[in-house]
Amino acid sequence: MPDTDFTPDDLGADDAMTIGIRVVEMADRVKAMHTMLPGAQASWAFEMDGTRFGVVVTVVSDDSN
């Protein structure tokens, strides 16, 4: 694993909100797709401080429990 000096404090509130909203939107879309195509995924990548991150969202369980 690469050594990095990144800490959660380096992430601005606007950036954190943008990332969180994007992940929630991905989850909402995957949930709808999962009903027609189980195993569907949504993926997105973003860069922060020169490091590229990949985010993949899948439905783990569709139980209402």
Side-chain angles (χ1 to χ4, degrees):
M1 186 168 219
D3 186 23
T4 181
D5 293 329
F6 177 79
T7 67
D9 294 332
D10 295 332
L11 186 62
D14 289 342
D15 291 334
M17 182 68 91
T18 299
I19 292 167
I21 288 170
R22 183 69 183 246
V23 171
V24 169
E25 288 172 350
M26 292 168 62
D28 191 45
R29 290 177 184 165
V30 167
K31 182 179 178 183
M33 287 300 299
H34 177 76
T35 61
M36 296 177 283
L37 183 64
Q41 296 183 338
S43 61
W44 172 58
F46 65 96
E47 188 173 316
M48 184 169 43
D49 295 332
T51 301
R52 192 154 172 83
F53 296 89
V55 180
V56 177
V57 175
T58 59
V59 174
V60 176
S61 173
D62 56 3
D63 294 340
S64 58
N65 302 355

